[in-house]
Amino acid sequence: MNPKDQNKYEEPNMVDTPLHHPLDDLLRTDRIPHIWCPGCGIGTAFSACLQAMRTSGLDLEKTVMVSGIGCSGRGAGYVKLDSYHTTHGRAIPFATGMKLANPDLNVVVFSGDGDLFAIGGNHFIHAARRNMALTVVCVNNFTYGMTGGQVAATTPYQAKTTTTPRGNHEAPFNLPLLAYASGATLIARWTILHARDLTECLKQALQHSGFSFVEILSPCPVNYGRRNRQSALDMLKMFQDKCIIQNNASPADLEMDFAKRIVLGKFVHVQRPTCIETYDKTCRLADFSKGKAA
Amino acid sequence: MGFWRIPLDTTDIDIARGRVHILEERCKGCGYCIEFCPKKALAFSSKFNQKGYHPPYMIKPDECVNCHYCEIICPEFAIFSVEVEPAEEKQA
């Protein structure tokens, strides 16, 4: 390759002016480049989330991002909005408290599968049951990436991890089914490869009034892929080959099995009174506010 | 990109043109933009950035149709494209 060719198309007036990425105004650029490994999909999921926030028409002054612990939990540190990095598994209860204290806020929970479904599993099912008006974005990388690639509740059957060197003998969670059974009112699953559909879906999730849950499948090349002989690109090509888009599919048919196929799409989008609405209707009666007993 | 038949309105359609900007110091060399560019207009360059990765460069700058896919697939906020006005393209 001739080094001269590489510079042939650089405009002379562009060389000195610093370039600004279109999402730079939503990023704490002093912390970029971020800590995520080369080929990690969290950056793409995060970028889709920021793009969806930008286009959703929400007041970003009243939008907060909450995340738990883990690689994806670092997201809260990179967004230039009010953001909170909470204790392990407690992103959803923290967000619930914030929403109840100030119902004007748009609360986005951006966290990983281990944080939301293993350590914080109980909080997820109860927030979905109450239909708390939160947007939960779960980056599912099939492992505990930050701690060294241990087996997680979402690790596919037979996948190798540091703690299952002969392959995982357990079945993984079907997260959309769990969300459906718990009562979530918007449920979707995409991969980082389907970034356009993902962004559109996140936008709908942000505008949705109830509990919305979006699962994003993402490669973890260093701690999951490496032990399964898969590079980041292999994983994305597998997403390309194995994934089919089937909107409104039954949540029971969405098991994670890379030997068969992975169903993507928006599965559930219904309206149900939110936690705050039902609370106001039941407990904040007009008589109470006037100081009389009901 | 091949068509199995030529669309009837091919002559009436103005194809958008884009110019790709690469923030080389942010790149970690994952190769997503190179692999998934629908026009295969990007390739790894031979030079290194400060962190020791090979950032991409445009091998076919005239092919870019400003689809923004490199921009949305990039996990590093390191690449984006802007639309080039047809008039601007003629001048350049």
Side-chain angles (χ1 to χ4, degrees):
Chain A
M1 193 164 20
N2 185 356
K4 268 186 190 168
D5 289 347
Q6 287 184 26
N7 298 327
K8 202 166 81 180
Y9 297 102
E10 271 184 21
E11 286 72 24
N13 60 341
M14 294 302 291
V15 176
D16 296 330
T17 36
L19 289 173
H20 291 290
H21 190 274
L23 289 171
D24 269 2
D25 55 334
L26 285 177
L27 285 172
R28 299 188 196 190
T29 43
D30 50 325
R31 297 190 178 182
I32 302 286
H34 48 60
I35 60 150
W36 297 316
C37 311
C40 173
I42 301 172
T44 308
F46 187 60
S47 145
C49 198
L50 295 184
Q51 187 63 36
M53 280 180 175
R54 157 90 48 83
T55 52
S56 64
L58 297 182
D59 181 3
L60 295 184
E61 292 287 310
K62 289 184 179 168
T63 304
V64 289
M65 191 183 257
V66 183
S67 57
I69 298 297
C71 291
S72 343
R74 303 294 294 237
Y78 295 122
V79 65
K80 207 183 198 177
L81 302 172
D82 288 341
S83 61
Y84 300 88
H85 193 179
T86 65
T87 47
H88 204 359
R90 314 299 169 225
I92 288 179
F94 188 93
T96 302
M98 193 149 49
K99 183 76 186 175
L100 287 175
N102 187 354
D104 292 341
L105 293 177
N106 308 303
V107 187
V108 184
V109 177
F110 184 89
S111 204
D113 52 305
D115 185 74
L116 286 172
F117 288 97
I119 295 91
N122 241 318
H123 302 304
F124 179 87
I125 60 177
H126 289 288
R129 175 178 63 81
R130 294 177 183 131
N131 199 21
M132 274 310 303
L134 306 175
T135 304
V136 178
V137 182
C138 171
V139 181
N140 182 358
N141 58 6
F142 316 112
T143 191
Y144 289 112
M146 186 172 264
T147 50
Q150 291 83 358
V151 66
T154 44
T155 307
Y157 182 59
Q158 295 292 325
K160 290 190 171 63
T161 67
T162 41
T163 46
T164 56
R166 292 181 162 192
N168 178 23
H169 65 94
E170 295 170 358
F173 254 136
N174 175 349
L175 299 181
L177 179 62
L178 176 75
Y180 180 67
S182 313
T185 48
L186 188 153
I187 302 167
R189 175 197 274 162
W190 294 103
T191 76
I192 63 149
L193 186 67
H194 301 77
R196 256 185 246 280
D197 298 299
L198 168 65
T199 310
E200 182 54 36
C201 187
L202 283 169
K203 190 174 135 189
Q204 290 178 17
L206 288 164
Q207 290 164 344
H208 182 64
S209 59
F211 186 92
S212 48
F213 168 63
V214 181
E215 177 187 9
I216 307 174
L217 307 183
S218 150
C220 175
V222 171
N223 272 329
Y224 178 80
R226 186 159 52 103
R227 298 195 171 82
N228 292 286
R229 299 277 179 272
Q230 270 181 331
S231 70
L233 276 176
D234 293 341
M235 193 92 177
L236 286 200
K237 281 177 187 156
M238 188 177 70
F239 288 161
Q240 205 170 15
D241 294 342
K242 300 277 181 186
C243 289
I244 60 161
I245 297 174
Q246 205 179 333
N247 289 316
N248 303 316
S250 161
D253 302 334
L254 306 176
E255 69 271 21
M256 283 297 295
D257 186 356
F258 284 113
K260 291 185 202 155
R261 54 171 201 172
I262 304 291
V263 182
L264 308 177
K266 190 176 77 177
F267 310 121
V268 175
H269 192 173
V270 292
Q271 293 293 339
R272 192 157 71 83
T274 63
C275 181
I276 294 174
E277 284 165 12
T278 50
Y279 179 82
D280 286 352
K281 207 173 151 189
T282 317
C283 308
R284 284 205 178 130
L285 300 173
D287 292 344
F288 278 129
S289 62
K290 287 174 197 158
K292 290 180 209 162
Chain B
M1 200 185 287
F3 294 109
W4 61 274
R5 71 168 177 83
I6 305 294
L8 296 174
D9 54 356
T10 318
T11 49
D12 308 335
I13 300 288
D14 286 331
I15 299 171
R17 291 282 160 215
R19 184 181 292 141
V20 172
H21 296 287
I22 298 163
L23 288 82
E24 292 179 349
E25 294 310 323
R26 286 187 185 179
C27 179
K28 289 182 192 160
C30 66
Y32 286 177
C33 53
I34 296 168
E35 182 66 31
F36 294 106
C37 174
K39 291 289 186 181
K40 300 280 172 234
L42 289 155
F44 280 115
S45 69
S46 54
K47 65 178 171 187
F48 293 95
N49 66 10
Q50 263 180 359
K51 285 182 179 276
Y53 298 108
H54 293 287
Y57 78 106
M58 289 294 279
I59 37 170
K60 294 184 265 180
D62 306 328
E63 294 273 300
C64 178
V65 290
N66 199 30
C67 73
H68 295 287
Y69 195 72
C70 53
E71 181 180 324
I72 59 177
I73 196 76
C74 178
E76 309 293 330
F77 306 95
I79 187 168
F80 62 97
S81 67
V82 289
E83 192 168 354
V84 180
E85 296 295 322
E88 195 184 328
E89 195 184 20
K90 273 171 204 161
Q91 282 172 11

